[in-house]
Amino acid sequence: IRSLISLGTLALVYGYLNRQSMPARALVVVAVLPVVIVANGLRVASAGVGAHAYGAQAAAGFLHSFSGW
């Protein structure tokens, strides 16, 4: 949810500063949702792979903090 809000706000600012048409601005804002879903899926998958390869402690430590950032 936090990444959706921050990327949505960034998309709104980007659309405003580029002074594009309203449909183009709407497209940029709507495109945020699939980007957030895919990025979160990759984050969860990488944490799972890290936990499998290096153990649960490695995935709960640095890898978890870094991927959440």
Side-chain angles (χ1 to χ4, degrees), residues 5-19 22 25-26 28-30 32:
I5 292 171
S6 61
L7 282 177
T9 303
L10 185 62
L12 287 172
V13 170
Y14 177 78
Y16 176 77
L17 292 177
N18 280 329
R19 302 182 193 268
M22 189 56 84
R25 290 180 187 177
V28 169
V29 171
V30 170
V32 166

Side-chain angles (χ1 to χ4, degrees), residues 43-44 46-68:
R43 182 183 66 84
V44 169
S46 68
V49 169
H52 180 73
Y54 301 109
Q57 285 292 52
F62 172 75
L63 188 64
H64 185 273
S65 299
F66 181 73
S67 68

